[in-house]
Amino acid sequence: MKILTVVGARPQFIKVSPVSRALKSAGHNEILLHTGQHYDHSMSQVFFDELEIQAPESNLEIGSGSHGEMTAGMLIGIERAIILHEPDWVLIYGDTNSTLAGALAAVKLHVPVAHVEAGLRSFNRQMPEEINRIVADSVSDMLFAPTTEAMTNLWHENIPAERVHMVGDVMYDAALIHGEKAEKESKILDILGLKTDGFVLSTVHRAENTDDLGRIRAIIEGLKLVAEEIPVVLPLHPRTHGALERSGLLESARESLKLIEPVGYLDMVKLEKNAALIATDSGGVQKEAFFQKVPCVTLRDETEWVELVNMGWNRLCPPTSAEAIAKEVRSMIGVVGRDENPYGAGDASEKIARVLSSNLT
């Protein structure tokens, strides 16, 4: 069976790694299309290298731009690829503009769509990602849900049960496959002079935070308060770097925080595993914190990974004030949540390959 896989952003590169392996093992012919949504070496190529992902058949090199500009360019390129390759399925991941474009291009050409990480909901329609999820799920022919919570969301939206498959989380698969490699190969702690449990790791990139001066100021000032007691490492996403420059916060952040360039997957796993706490607005990093059994503070008003909050591993902290953020981070250091795993047994990728194999078109 021929499968056209559409990816474009850092979290999707991580997810595609174990799934591509499983598809190959099942005898499927996968054609990888990179939209170029993330294009810096540290946000793209390093993941292909470290995770041993096949080189994309094509790269649309869309780059930055408004949501409309990016999605329109992707639609044109993906449509051409579908017409050229005539795949049996188009496989999409997550909730980015690449996800949305892949879904729309395929359904317009009457090619079945399979959505990995279906059913997630923050119930905040101000988030571009939430709109992308809802649209992608509504037009997909096969929906691979990572958790029972995601299954419930799809049930409430009246998605036909025969389209939905509970498979587990492919990011957990990736963590199990590459975790030992990260431990052996990453030298990031030595390079940065860090000790286990001796620092807080933070990531910030969502538009709701970076595009709001009050929120990004609260986050940086809050992390600076935390840094008075424990070092704070902040890999700086390009969007966040631009936001700090525009707001005049970059220099003060450099003075108090350990700002570094974005890191590859192996270095990120090593940092996550050894952090005392992770403060983030990333959906994927929330889960990666849990995989490493490290407490997490989510710098958002809501999360699509509600099970982590319910289990006590994660705590929501809307970034409305520096003091509130610092207080939440300090109070979560050392917290241990319930010993449960809602993300499956590390075989989500194999389940996806089996389901696709049983649905030959």
Side-chain angles (χ1 to χ4, degrees):
M1 182 164 59
K2 188 184 292 185
I3 298 170
L4 178 69
T5 294
V6 178
V7 294
R10 176 191 183 277
Q12 293 167 332
F13 308 145
I14 298 169
K15 295 165 193 171
V16 81
S17 170
V19 177
S20 289
R21 291 184 179 205
L23 293 177
K24 184 177 181 180
S25 295
H28 298 306
N29 175 20
E30 184 184 29
I31 300 161
L32 196 63
L33 184 150
H34 187 341
T35 66
Q37 182 173 341
H38 281 174
Y39 49 88
D40 290 346
H41 182 273
S42 59
M43 299 289 288
S44 178
Q45 187 57 47
V46 66
F47 291 88
F48 285 82
D49 296 340
E50 290 184 348
L51 304 183
E52 300 174 0
I53 305 169
Q54 65 172 310
E57 181 79 14
S58 61
N59 188 326
L60 303 183
E61 299 182 347
I62 295 299
S64 302
S66 70
H67 290 292
E69 290 171 332
M70 293 173 66
T71 307
M74 292 173 189
L75 275 168
I76 294 170
I78 296 169
E79 181 181 67
R80 288 172 178 166
I82 293 172
I83 294 171
L84 173 65
H85 295 290
E86 299 182 338
D88 299 294
W89 285 88
V90 169
L91 187 61
I92 58 174
Y93 289 80
D95 56 18
T96 70
N97 288 334
S98 300
T99 311
L100 176 65
L104 292 177
V107 74
K108 293 280 188 176
L109 293 173
H110 310 292
V111 177
V113 181
H115 185 197
V116 176
E117 206 174 78
L120 300 187
R121 297 292 181 269
S122 66
F123 302 101
N124 176 6
R125 292 205 176 201
Q126 297 300 309
M127 292 176 60
E129 296 88 349
E130 184 76 352
I131 303 303
N132 294 345
R133 295 176 192 132
I134 293 170
V135 174
D137 283 342
S138 68
V139 302
S140 291
D141 300 272
M142 196 70 63
L143 296 94
F144 296 117
T147 63
T148 55
E149 189 76 27
M151 291 282 288
T152 300
N153 291 336
L154 295 171
W155 179 76
H156 284 306
E157 293 175 12
N158 298 313
I159 302 293
E162 63 270 18
R163 295 185 183 180
V164 181
H165 298 266
M166 169 65 178
V167 296
D169 196 304
V170 297
M171 286 192 73
Y172 184 49
D173 295 14
L176 294 178
I177 292 170
H178 300 291
E180 185 175 345
K181 183 179 181 181
E183 187 63 33
K184 290 180 178 179
E185 296 186 10
S186 173
K187 307 300 181 186
I188 192 70
L189 297 186
D190 294 335
I191 292 171
L192 297 180
L194 301 171
K195 296 182 179 179
T196 299
D197 294 329
F199 64 97
V200 167
L201 174 65
S202 183
T203 74
V204 182
H205 79 281
R206 287 195 180 271
E208 64 194 82
N209 286 332
T210 60
D211 296 353
D212 185 309
L213 177 58
R215 292 171 77 96
I216 192 64
R217 186 183 297 278
I219 290 171
I220 295 301
E221 295 300 328
L223 294 177
K224 287 167 62 177
L225 290 174
V226 173
E228 294 175 0
E229 302 175 15
I230 183 172
V232 176
V233 178
L234 177 61
L236 210 50
H237 187 283
R239 178 191 290 157
T240 311
H241 187 281
L244 295 183
E245 279 191 319
R246 291 191 301 272
S247 61
L249 294 168
L250 185 59
E251 289 309 313
S252 67
R254 278 204 179 105
E255 292 173 2
S256 300
L257 311 177
K258 191 177 287 290
L259 302 186
I260 63 174
E261 293 295 316
V263 296
Y265 182 72
L266 300 182
D267 283 344
M268 190 63 178
V269 169
K270 189 69 172 281
L271 287 170
E272 290 166 342
K273 183 175 182 179
N274 289 277
L277 177 134
I278 296 171
T280 185
D281 61 7
S282 162
V285 174
Q286 291 175 53
K287 287 185 298 174
E288 290 170 351
F290 169 74
F291 298 156
Q292 303 301 334
K293 295 298 182 284
V294 173
C296 181
V297 171
T298 294
L299 304 170
R300 287 168 51 189
D301 301 319
E302 69 289 302
T303 179
E304 52 275 16
W305 302 106
V306 294
E307 60 277 354
L308 295 177
V309 177
N310 295 336
M311 290 190 298
W313 285 102
N314 192 358
R315 193 174 295 170
L316 288 172
C317 182
T320 55
S321 79
E323 291 74 21
I325 291 170
K327 179 180 179 181
E328 206 69 82
V329 168
R330 291 167 181 149
S331 68
M332 274 294 284
I333 292 177
V335 168
V336 177
R338 294 204 305 271
D339 186 18
E340 301 172 11
N341 184 3
Y343 300 115
D347 58 353
S349 303
E350 286 76 15
K351 289 180 178 178
I352 289 169
R354 286 199 297 270
V355 172
L356 288 172
S357 297
S358 66
N359 284 272
L360 293 171
T361 60

